[in-house]
Amino acid sequence: MHFRTTADSDTYAYATSPLNFGGVEKEDLLFWMLPMAIANQFMDDPFYAFAIGCFCLWLYKRLTMNTPPGHMVLRLSVWMGQLENGELAEMYPAMKKIARFMNRFLTNLWLEVGLLPSPTYCNRYEP
């Protein structure tokens, strides 16, 4: 989902998907699926892996109960933007190139799956 923005406007439109499963957003499923997949590799019974995945999801939802949907993606994008513009990237040009590549990659990824793009690129993704 790509929206065009212009320099004439100071408002931005984000194309996000309202799809969720019982209050679980798309990004929250990472905290259910990844621990469940990892636990399934080490345990004999898939029920225990499922229980560990559900516990990790419950714990994540409990710790982030007063945050808006999409906060994890936004925090990661802000952190990548700060890394790209920070003093560590100024000292090491290779770090700046890696951070810029990761920021562009994450922005394209978020746009493709319908999540918020990086705030450092919110006015730069013209086709």
Side-chain angles (χ1 to χ4, degrees):
M1 291 182 226
H2 295 279
F3 277 25
R4 295 180 67 113
T5 59
T6 63
D8 300 335
S9 173
D10 59 348
T11 59
Y12 302 101
Y14 291 114
T16 59
S17 173
L19 180 67
N20 62 26
F21 304 100
V24 178
E25 303 290 330
K26 287 189 275 186
E27 64 187 17
D28 298 341
L29 293 176
L30 290 173
F31 290 93
W32 175 59
M33 290 182 183
L34 286 179
M36 187 171 61
I38 293 169
N40 194 27
Q41 295 295 320
F42 296 111
M43 298 187 167
D44 295 332
D45 192 3
F47 177 75
Y48 292 131
F50 179 76
I52 288 173
C54 289
F55 173 74
C56 291
L57 177 63
W58 172 81
L59 185 63
Y60 172 73
K61 292 297 280 183
R62 179 87 174 160
L63 293 173
T64 61
M65 75 172 83
N66 293 326
T67 56
H71 71 92
M72 182 181 70
V73 174
L74 187 63
R75 286 182 186 174
L76 181 62
S77 297
V78 167
W79 181 76
M80 288 302 297
Q82 289 174 346
L83 182 66
E84 181 181 341
N85 298 325
E87 61 186 46
L88 187 64
E90 294 297 326
M91 290 184 345
Y92 303 107
M95 177 66 99
K96 186 171 187 97
K97 288 181 183 179
I98 291 170
R100 182 172 291 144
F101 169 77
M102 287 301 295
N103 208 351
R104 286 185 189 151
F105 175 75
L106 289 175
T107 299
N108 290 331
L109 180 69
W110 302 149
L111 287 173
E112 291 300 319
V113 297
L115 296 173
L116 293 172
S118 169
T120 56
Y121 284 99
C122 64
N123 60 353
R124 297 184 192 177
Y125 51 89
E126 300 246 349

